Amino acid sequence: MAIPIIPSLLRDNLEALAADDQRLDGRSRFAGRELEIEVGCLANAEGSCRVRMGDTIVFAGVKFQIMTPYPDRPTQGGLMTSAEIRPVCGPNWEPGPPSEASIEMGRVVDRGIRESGCIDTSELCILPGEKAWQVILDLFAISDDGNMFDAFALAAIAALRTATVPAERFDVGEDYKLPVAGTPIMCSYQKVGGRFVFDATKREELGGDERIHITLGNEGHVHSLQKGLRGVFTADEFNEIMDAAQSRCAELRDIVHNLEESQ
Amino acid sequence: MDENGIREDGRKADEMRPVEIECGVVPVADGSAYIKWGKNEAIAAVYGPMECHPRKVQRQDRAILDVRYNMAPFSTTDRIRPGFNRRSREISKVTRDALESVVDLELYPRSKVRVEIEIICAEAGTRCCGITAASVALADAGIPMSDMVVSVAAGKCNGIVLMDLNKPEDNYGEADLPMGILPMTDELVFLQMDGDLSMDEFKIAWDYNIKAAHDVHKIMIEALQKRYGGDV
């Protein structure tokens, strides 16, 4: 990713706004942008989701392959996540091999899902020691206006929860719905003008400091945390965003569940 | 854990593995440190500040840290294929993010400071090991910093929150919470977590980490005092 030039005017502006508890787009600190989620939107993917948060637009696609189980885990399939951020999605994204920013995104989203245990890899076994399903989750962005982490994580879990295992196409039985036992949700907070805000836009990211990603499971348990970028924060600041994340994650989880029912 | 609350390797729940640190182990480096943390062994070396190459990554307003975390091929039971992988690139990045939070980079515009972390023997907890060693190496190199980062991790195994998981505890464990703490203020510059922790367990793990960080900090200070004498 190219190094963005950060106008000091932007930082000053963000600091002045923060002093009055304001944001560039008029939102309150912990308010998210307008959210659109659509599942089953890509005909050739076995599970898919498009998420739009303000001007950030991402897709998640689920595909399946048959793998040979690892010798030490003969009855388990696998889950693989990768994030691909093409130059299409913004002026600072450049072509080339995966950047560390995209590797971090893929790995943080993957950890939230994997560590919540919502995908039981032993349910992916077809023939012990010989055949198992590998679930491949591809994250693909087409417009980056900030907070791609949350957009990816939301698209990922919605795509998985609505995915169909294509057993007929591979000649190993009848198609069935991929079992997904929980709905881990990520909420991300960025330090802007000296305090954490939820769902930062690209301009807030550019003129901001460190960010923290929190993934919570159905019971409010913590499944993944990640701090990124340069910055220092206190335990009090962390506790405040953790409380905010607890309620926001529950809301987003309901949105995903309602989406499934209406499908 | 047995009925007396003692772990398989003889430690109590909130007890760290033994930590030893030595400065100046890479003679040609501007700063360096060796750390032995249980069976983990890591070497960190610092070079610079120096001219920033490639120009593309140069910053006009400050220096950058060029951090590389690498595991030697012989550092684990199964040989590791040499070279960067996704895991080592992510750890390099979060280590850089942690260290850049304390180094006074604005003193050196358009330059870089190289931080090389080599894990030569791995037992679980290598990223904490690497960040802590790198902090000591930066101090040894005389790079101005607001504080040293102490990185430690608490985890959970068999439903019990434990400080500083060793390899078997990590393999069979249910959670890991590595943190990077500034001991002078108890602020954080590094935070990751994976697994499953309830909010109560999370708070216990957090408090274990803060306490342990202060213990490791003393060892870091002693290592620097041993090399330079006096109060650090």
Side-chain angles (χ1 to χ4, degrees):
Chain A
M1 190 171 170
I3 293 171
I5 294 167
I6 304 161
S8 52
L9 278 173
L10 174 61
R11 280 191 80 94
D12 293 348
N13 187 8
L14 289 169
E15 256 167 50
L17 284 168
D20 294 330
D21 202 19
Q22 301 277 317
R23 291 174 73 174
L24 280 174
D25 55 8
R27 277 184 288 155
S28 64
R29 264 181 80 192
F30 292 142
R33 287 172 287 181
E34 198 180 327
L35 176 68
E36 279 173 32
I37 315 182
E38 189 189 343
V39 287
C41 47
L42 303 171
N44 280 342
E46 272 84 52
S48 59
C49 179
R50 174 183 177 276
V51 166
R52 179 174 182 141
M53 285 166 30
D55 285 337
T56 292
I57 305 167
V58 305
F59 284 96
V62 178
K63 295 294 290 178
F64 290 83
Q65 280 176 1
I66 290 187
M67 63 184 272
T68 312
Y70 297 108
D72 56 334
R73 273 171 262 159
T75 61
Q76 289 184 26
L79 169 70
M80 188 174 99
T81 309
S82 79
E84 192 177 2
I85 302 165
R86 309 276 309 158
V88 62
C89 72
N92 288 315
W93 293 100
E94 293 181 340
S99 63
E100 60 178 26
S102 68
I103 290 174
E104 185 190 21
M105 274 185 215
R107 286 178 61 90
V108 172
V109 172
D110 179 84
R111 271 206 291 274
I113 291 168
R114 188 181 300 277
E115 299 295 337
S116 77
C118 68
I119 305 271
D120 181 354
T121 48
S122 56
E123 287 183 26
L124 300 172
C125 182
I126 304 167
L127 201 61
E130 286 182 33
K131 278 184 183 176
W133 291 110
Q134 182 173 39
V135 186
I136 304 173
L137 176 61
D138 281 299
L139 308 172
F140 193 92
I142 60 164
S143 172
D144 173 19
D145 189 35
N147 196 16
M148 285 213 284
F149 280 85
D150 285 1
F152 275 151
L154 195 58
I157 190 64
L160 285 170
R161 290 188 62 92
T162 52
T164 304
V165 183
E168 286 164 23
R169 185 152 58 82
F170 286 88
D171 227 6
V172 286
E174 279 178 30
D175 287 359
Y176 61 99
K177 194 177 168 299
L178 175 69
V180 183
T183 313
I185 302 282
M186 185 193 297
C187 281
S188 300
Y189 298 84
Q190 179 112 22
K191 185 83 81 67
V192 180
R195 89 284 200 230
F196 279 102
V197 302
F198 175 62
D199 188 22
T201 61
K202 193 76 200 168
R203 284 183 70 73
E204 286 177 313
E205 286 182 355
L206 277 177
D209 297 298
E210 77 272 25
R211 45 183 167 70
I212 295 180
H213 312 282
I214 300 174
T215 306
L216 300 175
N218 291 26
E219 317 294 325
H221 284 201
V222 198
H223 293 304
S224 143
L225 292 170
Q226 178 94 343
K227 179 253 182 184
L229 304 181
R230 190 184 179 198
V232 179
F233 62 97
T234 65
D236 288 344
E237 287 174 315
F238 180 80
N239 291 335
E240 188 184 21
I241 59 173
M242 180 61 111
D243 286 346
Q246 287 283 0
S247 55
R248 183 62 187 164
C249 286
E251 285 170 30
L252 287 169
R253 188 171 298 114
D254 287 343
I255 292 175
V256 173
H257 290 169
N258 289 337
L259 206 67
E260 290 167 30
E261 277 163 28
S262 64
Q263 225 210 343
Chain B
M1 216 163 159
D2 68 12
E3 61 279 8
N4 302 318
I6 300 296
R7 290 148 77 173
E8 220 161 285
D9 59 5
R11 286 184 290 156
K12 296 197 277 288
D14 62 348
E15 194 178 333
M16 300 265 304
R17 288 170 285 183
V19 177
E20 289 167 38
I21 301 174
E22 189 186 340
C23 292
V25 292
V26 181
V28 296
D30 295 306
S32 61
Y34 161 84
I35 189 164
K36 185 163 166 59
W37 182 313
K39 292 192 192 102
N40 284 315
E41 288 181 74
I43 290 166
V46 170
Y47 293 89
M50 59 172 77
E51 192 181 346
C52 185
H53 281 296
R55 284 281 286 278
K56 193 180 151 189
V57 300
Q58 195 178 89
R59 296 277 303 236
Q60 300 305 306
D61 55 341
R62 65 167 172 93
I64 61 157
L65 291 190
D66 182 13
V67 178
R68 254 175 306 278
Y69 161 100
N70 182 52
M71 291 179 85
F74 46 77
S75 62
T76 50
T77 319
D78 294 329
R79 180 174 183 267
I80 298 179
R81 210 156 65 97
F84 253 19
N85 55 39
R86 286 166 62 88
R87 174 179 174 276
S88 64
R89 286 187 68 183
E90 192 205 341
I91 294 178
S92 300
K93 180 180 186 301
V94 294
T95 303
R96 185 190 69 214
D97 292 342
L99 297 173
E100 282 196 342
S101 307
V102 292
V103 175
D104 198 352
L105 298 165
E106 279 73 12
L107 286 176
Y108 311 108
R110 291 183 291 279
S111 32
K112 76 171 172 187
V113 177
R114 267 173 54 202
V115 179
E116 307 287 346
I117 299 167
E118 296 290 335
I119 308 296
I120 52 175
C121 187
E123 199 213 348
T126 57
R127 73 190 67 192
C128 294
C129 218
I131 292 173
T132 304
S135 288
V136 177
L138 281 164
D140 184 43
I143 307 281
M145 288 190 284
S146 59
D147 200 348
M148 285 197 290
V149 183
V150 189
S151 185
V152 290
K156 182 169 88 168
C157 187
N158 291 327
I160 302 166
V161 179
L162 300 174
M163 189 61 216
D164 194 29
L165 301 185
N166 64 20
K167 193 75 198 172
E169 288 168 344
D170 188 53
N171 283 352
Y172 298 103
E174 298 102 54
D176 189 31
L177 173 71
M179 293 177 12
I181 295 154
L182 308 186
M184 291 204 293
T185 56
D186 284 349
E187 289 170 310
L188 273 77
V189 291
F190 164 62
L191 175 68
Q192 287 191 308
M193 181 266 175
D194 59 63
D196 177 272
L197 287 176
S198 71
M199 283 309 288
D200 290 339
E201 292 164 338
F202 178 72
K203 290 199 167 73
I204 298 172
W206 183 287
D207 292 342
Y208 278 0
N209 275 342
I210 300 280
K211 182 182 161 291
H214 286 271
D215 295 341
V216 175
H217 185 231
K218 287 196 193 89
I219 301 167
M220 296 162 78
I221 297 279
E222 279 162 16
L224 288 162
Q225 276 172 337
K226 195 172 167 198
R227 184 154 151 86
Y228 295 102
D231 295 327
V232 179

